[in-house]
Short mmCIF file of all heavy atoms in Angstrom, two decimals:
data_model
loop_
_atom_site.label_atom_id
_atom_site.label_comp_id
_atom_site.label_asym_id
_atom_site.label_seq_id
_atom_site.Cartn_x
_atom_site.Cartn_y
_atom_site.Cartn_z
N GLU A 416 -15.42 -23.41 -4.58
CA GLU A 416 -15.75 -22.99 -5.94
C GLU A 416 -14.82 -21.89 -6.41
O GLU A 416 -14.34 -21.91 -7.55
CB GLU A 416 -17.20 -22.51 -6.01
CG GLU A 416 -18.23 -23.62 -5.97
CD GLU A 416 -19.65 -23.09 -6.13
OE1 GLU A 416 -19.79 -21.89 -6.45
OE2 GLU A 416 -20.61 -23.85 -5.94
N ALA A 417 -14.56 -20.92 -5.54
CA ALA A 417 -13.66 -19.82 -5.90
C ALA A 417 -12.26 -20.33 -6.19
O ALA A 417 -11.59 -19.87 -7.13
CB ALA A 417 -13.62 -18.79 -4.77
N ARG A 418 -11.82 -21.30 -5.40
CA ARG A 418 -10.48 -21.87 -5.60
C ARG A 418 -10.39 -22.57 -6.96
O ARG A 418 -9.43 -22.39 -7.71
CB ARG A 418 -10.16 -22.84 -4.48
CG ARG A 418 -8.73 -23.40 -4.52
CD ARG A 418 -8.48 -24.36 -3.37
NE ARG A 418 -8.69 -23.72 -2.08
CZ ARG A 418 -9.64 -24.04 -1.22
NH1 ARG A 418 -10.49 -25.02 -1.51
NH2 ARG A 418 -9.76 -23.40 -0.07
N TYR A 419 -11.43 -23.36 -7.29
CA TYR A 419 -11.42 -24.08 -8.57
C TYR A 419 -11.60 -23.12 -9.75
O TYR A 419 -11.02 -23.32 -10.82
CB TYR A 419 -12.51 -25.15 -8.58
CG TYR A 419 -12.27 -26.25 -7.58
CD1 TYR A 419 -13.28 -26.68 -6.73
CD2 TYR A 419 -11.02 -26.85 -7.47
CE1 TYR A 419 -13.05 -27.70 -5.80
CE2 TYR A 419 -10.79 -27.85 -6.54
CZ TYR A 419 -11.81 -28.27 -5.72
OH TYR A 419 -11.58 -29.27 -4.79
N LEU A 420 -12.41 -22.08 -9.56
CA LEU A 420 -12.56 -21.07 -10.61
C LEU A 420 -11.23 -20.41 -10.93
O LEU A 420 -10.86 -20.24 -12.10
CB LEU A 420 -13.57 -20.01 -10.16
CG LEU A 420 -15.05 -20.31 -10.35
CD1 LEU A 420 -15.90 -19.28 -9.61
CD2 LEU A 420 -15.41 -20.33 -11.82
N ALA A 421 -10.51 -20.02 -9.88
CA ALA A 421 -9.22 -19.37 -10.07
C ALA A 421 -8.24 -20.31 -10.78
O ALA A 421 -7.49 -19.90 -11.68
CB ALA A 421 -8.65 -18.92 -8.72
N LYS A 422 -8.26 -21.58 -10.38
CA LYS A 422 -7.38 -22.57 -11.00
C LYS A 422 -7.73 -22.73 -12.49
O LYS A 422 -6.84 -22.79 -13.35
CB LYS A 422 -7.53 -23.91 -10.28
CG LYS A 422 -6.56 -24.98 -10.77
CD LYS A 422 -6.91 -26.35 -10.20
CE LYS A 422 -6.77 -26.41 -8.71
NZ LYS A 422 -7.00 -27.81 -8.22
N TYR A 423 -9.03 -22.79 -12.79
CA TYR A 423 -9.49 -22.94 -14.17
C TYR A 423 -9.06 -21.75 -15.02
O TYR A 423 -8.50 -21.90 -16.11
CB TYR A 423 -11.01 -23.09 -14.18
CG TYR A 423 -11.65 -23.13 -15.56
CD1 TYR A 423 -11.85 -24.34 -16.21
CD2 TYR A 423 -12.06 -21.97 -16.19
CE1 TYR A 423 -12.45 -24.39 -17.47
CE2 TYR A 423 -12.66 -22.00 -17.45
CZ TYR A 423 -12.84 -23.21 -18.07
OH TYR A 423 -13.43 -23.24 -19.31
N LEU A 424 -9.34 -20.53 -14.53
CA LEU A 424 -9.06 -19.34 -15.30
C LEU A 424 -7.56 -19.13 -15.52
O LEU A 424 -7.13 -18.68 -16.58
CB LEU A 424 -9.65 -18.11 -14.59
CG LEU A 424 -11.19 -18.09 -14.50
CD1 LEU A 424 -11.65 -16.96 -13.60
CD2 LEU A 424 -11.81 -17.97 -15.89
N GLU A 425 -6.78 -19.47 -14.49
CA GLU A 425 -5.32 -19.32 -14.62
C GLU A 425 -4.74 -20.31 -15.62
O GLU A 425 -3.88 -19.96 -16.44
CB GLU A 425 -4.66 -19.51 -13.26
CG GLU A 425 -3.14 -19.38 -13.30
CD GLU A 425 -2.49 -19.69 -11.96
OE1 GLU A 425 -3.20 -20.10 -11.03
OE2 GLU A 425 -1.26 -19.53 -11.86
N ALA A 426 -5.20 -21.56 -15.54
CA ALA A 426 -4.63 -22.60 -16.40
C ALA A 426 -5.12 -22.49 -17.85
O ALA A 426 -4.38 -22.76 -18.79
CB ALA A 426 -4.97 -23.98 -15.85
N ALA A 427 -6.39 -22.08 -18.03
CA ALA A 427 -6.98 -22.08 -19.37
C ALA A 427 -6.22 -21.18 -20.34
O ALA A 427 -6.04 -21.53 -21.51
CB ALA A 427 -8.44 -21.64 -19.29
N VAL A 428 -5.77 -20.03 -19.88
CA VAL A 428 -5.05 -19.10 -20.77
C VAL A 428 -3.65 -19.61 -21.11
O VAL A 428 -3.00 -19.08 -22.02
CB VAL A 428 -4.95 -17.70 -20.13
CG1 VAL A 428 -6.33 -17.10 -19.93
CG2 VAL A 428 -4.21 -17.74 -18.80
N GLN A 429 -3.17 -20.63 -20.40
CA GLN A 429 -1.84 -21.16 -20.65
C GLN A 429 -1.85 -22.37 -21.58
O GLN A 429 -0.80 -22.83 -22.01
CB GLN A 429 -1.18 -21.57 -19.32
CG GLN A 429 -0.99 -20.41 -18.35
CD GLN A 429 -0.47 -20.88 -17.00
OE1 GLN A 429 -0.29 -22.08 -16.77
NE2 GLN A 429 -0.21 -19.94 -16.10
N VAL A 430 -3.05 -22.89 -21.89
CA VAL A 430 -3.16 -24.09 -22.72
C VAL A 430 -3.34 -23.68 -24.18
O VAL A 430 -4.37 -23.09 -24.55
CB VAL A 430 -4.35 -24.97 -22.27
CG1 VAL A 430 -4.45 -26.21 -23.16
CG2 VAL A 430 -4.18 -25.37 -20.82
N GLN A 431 -2.36 -23.97 -25.02
CA GLN A 431 -2.42 -23.58 -26.42
C GLN A 431 -3.57 -24.27 -27.15
O GLN A 431 -4.18 -23.70 -28.06
CB GLN A 431 -1.09 -23.90 -27.11
CG GLN A 431 0.08 -23.07 -26.61
CD GLN A 431 1.36 -23.36 -27.37
OE1 GLN A 431 1.32 -23.87 -28.49
NE2 GLN A 431 2.49 -23.03 -26.76
N ALA A 432 -3.87 -25.50 -26.75
CA ALA A 432 -4.96 -26.24 -27.40
C ALA A 432 -6.31 -25.55 -27.22
O ALA A 432 -7.24 -25.80 -27.99
CB ALA A 432 -5.02 -27.66 -26.84
N LEU A 433 -6.43 -24.72 -26.19
CA LEU A 433 -7.70 -24.02 -25.92
C LEU A 433 -7.72 -22.61 -26.52
O LEU A 433 -8.71 -21.90 -26.37
CB LEU A 433 -7.94 -23.93 -24.40
CG LEU A 433 -8.01 -25.26 -23.66
CD1 LEU A 433 -8.27 -25.02 -22.17
CD2 LEU A 433 -9.10 -26.15 -24.24
N ASN A 434 -6.64 -22.24 -27.21
CA ASN A 434 -6.56 -20.91 -27.80
C ASN A 434 -7.20 -20.95 -29.19
O ASN A 434 -6.54 -20.99 -30.23
CB ASN A 434 -5.10 -20.47 -27.90
CG ASN A 434 -4.95 -19.04 -28.38
OD1 ASN A 434 -5.92 -18.27 -28.38
ND2 ASN A 434 -3.75 -18.69 -28.82
N SER A 435 -8.52 -20.94 -29.19
CA SER A 435 -9.26 -21.07 -30.44
C SER A 435 -10.49 -20.16 -30.42
O SER A 435 -11.15 -20.02 -29.39
CB SER A 435 -9.70 -22.52 -30.64
OG SER A 435 -10.61 -22.64 -31.71
N GLU A 436 -10.80 -19.58 -31.58
CA GLU A 436 -11.98 -18.72 -31.68
C GLU A 436 -13.27 -19.54 -31.60
O GLU A 436 -14.35 -19.00 -31.34
CB GLU A 436 -11.95 -17.94 -33.00
CG GLU A 436 -10.80 -16.92 -33.08
CD GLU A 436 -10.82 -16.16 -34.39
OE1 GLU A 436 -11.67 -16.48 -35.25
OE2 GLU A 436 -9.98 -15.25 -34.55
N ASN A 437 -13.16 -20.84 -31.83
CA ASN A 437 -14.34 -21.70 -31.82
C ASN A 437 -14.70 -22.19 -30.42
O ASN A 437 -15.64 -22.96 -30.26
CB ASN A 437 -14.11 -22.91 -32.72
CG ASN A 437 -13.90 -22.52 -34.17
OD1 ASN A 437 -14.52 -21.57 -34.64
ND2 ASN A 437 -13.03 -23.24 -34.86
N LEU A 438 -13.92 -21.76 -29.43
CA LEU A 438 -14.15 -22.23 -28.06
C LEU A 438 -14.50 -21.06 -27.15
O LEU A 438 -13.78 -20.05 -27.12
CB LEU A 438 -12.89 -22.94 -27.53
CG LEU A 438 -12.93 -23.38 -26.07
CD1 LEU A 438 -14.02 -24.43 -25.84
CD2 LEU A 438 -11.57 -23.94 -25.65
N ASP A 439 -15.59 -21.16 -26.43
CA ASP A 439 -16.00 -20.15 -25.45
C ASP A 439 -15.69 -20.69 -24.05
O ASP A 439 -16.45 -21.51 -23.51
CB ASP A 439 -17.49 -19.84 -25.59
CG ASP A 439 -17.91 -18.61 -24.79
OD1 ASP A 439 -17.34 -18.40 -23.69
OD2 ASP A 439 -18.78 -17.86 -25.25
N LEU A 440 -14.58 -20.25 -23.48
CA LEU A 440 -14.14 -20.76 -22.18
C LEU A 440 -15.14 -20.42 -21.07
O LEU A 440 -15.37 -21.21 -20.15
CB LEU A 440 -12.77 -20.20 -21.83
CG LEU A 440 -11.60 -20.74 -22.65
CD1 LEU A 440 -10.33 -19.96 -22.36
CD2 LEU A 440 -11.39 -22.22 -22.35
N GLU A 441 -15.74 -19.24 -21.15
CA GLU A 441 -16.70 -18.82 -20.13
C GLU A 441 -17.95 -19.69 -20.16
O GLU A 441 -18.47 -20.08 -19.11
CB GLU A 441 -17.06 -17.35 -20.30
CG GLU A 441 -15.98 -16.38 -19.84
CD GLU A 441 -15.81 -16.39 -18.33
OE1 GLU A 441 -16.77 -16.76 -17.62
OE2 GLU A 441 -14.70 -16.07 -17.85
N GLN A 442 -18.42 -20.00 -21.35
CA GLN A 442 -19.61 -20.84 -21.45
C GLN A 442 -19.31 -22.27 -20.98
O GLN A 442 -20.15 -22.91 -20.32
CB GLN A 442 -20.12 -20.87 -22.90
CG GLN A 442 -20.81 -19.58 -23.34
CD GLN A 442 -22.03 -19.27 -22.48
OE1 GLN A 442 -22.82 -20.15 -22.17
NE2 GLN A 442 -22.17 -18.02 -22.08
N ALA A 443 -18.12 -22.75 -21.31
CA ALA A 443 -17.73 -24.08 -20.82
C ALA A 443 -17.67 -24.10 -19.30
O ALA A 443 -18.09 -25.07 -18.65
CB ALA A 443 -16.36 -24.46 -21.39
N LEU A 444 -17.20 -22.99 -18.75
CA LEU A 444 -17.13 -22.87 -17.29
C LEU A 444 -18.54 -22.85 -16.69
O LEU A 444 -18.80 -23.51 -15.67
CB LEU A 444 -16.38 -21.59 -16.92
CG LEU A 444 -16.28 -21.24 -15.45
CD1 LEU A 444 -15.54 -22.33 -14.68
CD2 LEU A 444 -15.54 -19.91 -15.26
N GLU A 445 -19.45 -22.10 -17.30
CA GLU A 445 -20.82 -22.04 -16.81
C GLU A 445 -21.48 -23.42 -16.82
O GLU A 445 -22.19 -23.79 -15.88
CB GLU A 445 -21.64 -21.06 -17.66
CG GLU A 445 -21.25 -19.60 -17.49
CD GLU A 445 -21.51 -19.09 -16.08
OE1 GLU A 445 -22.44 -19.59 -15.43
OE2 GLU A 445 -20.75 -18.20 -15.63
N GLU A 446 -21.22 -24.18 -17.87
CA GLU A 446 -21.82 -25.51 -17.95
C GLU A 446 -21.22 -26.45 -16.90
O GLU A 446 -21.93 -27.28 -16.32
CB GLU A 446 -21.60 -26.08 -19.36
CG GLU A 446 -22.42 -25.35 -20.42
CD GLU A 446 -22.09 -25.81 -21.83
OE1 GLU A 446 -21.20 -26.66 -21.99
OE2 GLU A 446 -22.72 -25.30 -22.77
N ALA A 447 -19.91 -26.32 -16.66
CA ALA A 447 -19.28 -27.13 -15.62
C ALA A 447 -19.88 -26.81 -14.25
O ALA A 447 -20.12 -27.72 -13.43
CB ALA A 447 -17.77 -26.90 -15.61
N LEU A 448 -20.16 -25.55 -14.02
CA LEU A 448 -20.79 -25.14 -12.77
C LEU A 448 -22.20 -25.70 -12.66
O LEU A 448 -22.61 -26.19 -11.60
CB LEU A 448 -20.84 -23.61 -12.69
CG LEU A 448 -19.56 -22.89 -12.23
CD1 LEU A 448 -19.66 -21.39 -12.50
CD2 LEU A 448 -19.32 -23.14 -10.74
N ARG A 449 -22.93 -25.66 -13.78
CA ARG A 449 -24.33 -26.09 -13.76
C ARG A 449 -24.48 -27.57 -13.47
O ARG A 449 -25.39 -27.98 -12.73
CB ARG A 449 -24.99 -25.75 -15.11
CG ARG A 449 -26.42 -26.19 -15.24
CD ARG A 449 -27.09 -25.55 -16.45
NE ARG A 449 -26.36 -25.75 -17.67
CZ ARG A 449 -26.43 -26.88 -18.41
NH1 ARG A 449 -27.20 -27.88 -18.03
NH2 ARG A 449 -25.75 -26.98 -19.53
N ILE A 450 -23.57 -28.39 -14.01
CA ILE A 450 -23.71 -29.84 -13.80
C ILE A 450 -22.87 -30.34 -12.63
O ILE A 450 -22.83 -31.54 -12.35
CB ILE A 450 -23.35 -30.62 -15.08
CG1 ILE A 450 -21.86 -30.44 -15.41
CG2 ILE A 450 -24.22 -30.19 -16.24
CD1 ILE A 450 -21.41 -31.30 -16.59
#
Side-chain angles (χ1 to χ4, degrees):
E416 285 184 9
R418 185 180 301 114
Y419 294 132
L420 278 169
K422 185 190 296 185
Y423 175 91
L424 294 171
E425 179 185 5
V428 297
Q429 298 174 357
V430 180
Q431 294 183 21
L433 301 181
N434 186 16
S435 170
E436 294 181 356
N437 297 325
L438 175 63
D439 191 324
L440 289 171
E441 284 292 335
Q442 286 300 317
L444 176 61
E445 291 296 330
E446 291 173 358
L448 279 167
R449 177 167 54 81
I450 65 174

